[in-house]
Amino acid sequence: MNCPVALSAQQPRLMADADLGVRVGDREREKVIARLGQAFTQGYLSLTDYEARLDQAVEAQTAGALGEVLGDLPVGRSVRNDPQRRAARAAAARRGVRLHLAAYLAASLLMIGIWLVVAMTVGARYFWPVWPILGMGIGVVSHAVPVQHWLRKNKGFRTTA
């Protein structure tokens, strides 16, 4: 089976027929072994098939031989459906909301502090920070609500990060 090597995280990289004879190193083998592990954990391979392909990947010397290991597997789909990748995306989304909230609170406290200093020195008592605080609050809520909706929809990928 003369299949191209699937090394890319999103889509298999297509190599010209001349490139299939190029020697591969440990880095390429490790990428293919990682893809095999994803395919195995997602149920695309049986244990015996996984072990046989793992041995093939370790012994592969050329891109063509390495490509045969992943040739019939849905590499792109297994990478997209990888639970670790989805958990990392969920953690990044939560971290983004936390950072947004922290910036909102810091800016709110800064504006309240400025208002307090001005109110004490000049005597102006109108609480003007209410308007930027409300405006920024709308931004935080409009960021947090879609993220929470997405996390609930993908609730199997909750992490503590």
Side-chain angles (χ1 to χ4, degrees):
M1 184 164 147
N2 235 356
C3 298
V5 178
L7 299 178
S8 170
Q10 296 298 325
Q11 293 292 328
R13 190 179 86 182
L14 300 175
M15 301 177 102
D17 286 337
D19 290 344
L20 294 177
V22 173
R23 293 184 66 84
V24 293
D26 290 339
R27 185 172 168 198
E28 289 86 5
R29 284 187 203 93
E30 288 171 5
K31 287 182 181 181
V32 169
I33 289 169
R35 300 295 181 258
L36 280 174
Q38 290 171 341
F40 175 66
T41 58
Q42 293 177 22
Y44 291 109
L45 296 173
S46 67
L47 182 59
T48 55
D49 194 22
Y50 170 71
E51 290 173 346
R53 288 177 190 235
L54 192 60
D55 291 339
Q56 246 184 316
V58 170
E59 295 170 3
Q61 296 295 315
T62 64
L66 204 53
E68 288 179 14
V69 175
L70 297 176
D72 62 339
L73 295 174
V75 175
R77 185 181 323 146
S78 65
V79 170
R80 278 190 308 273
N81 295 334
D82 183 28
Q84 289 178 334
R85 181 176 183 233
R86 295 182 100 181
R89 288 180 64 202
R94 270 190 238 95
R95 193 170 33 255
V97 170
R98 277 191 232 121
L99 286 172
H100 196 170
L101 181 61
Y104 167 73
L105 293 174
S108 297
L109 287 174
L110 178 67
M111 286 184 284
I112 291 171
I114 292 170
W115 170 79
L116 191 58
V117 168
V118 169
M120 296 296 229
T121 56
V122 179
R125 302 276 186 229
Y126 177 70
F127 188 68
W128 59 265
V130 69
W131 305 114
I133 288 172
L134 285 174
M136 290 186 311
I138 292 170
V140 171
V141 169
S142 67
H143 182 187
V145 168
V147 168
Q148 287 302 316
H149 175 73
W150 182 81
L151 290 172
R152 276 192 212 110
K153 190 172 86 172
N154 298 300
K155 62 184 165 196
F157 300 101
R158 182 121 176 102
T159 63
T160 58

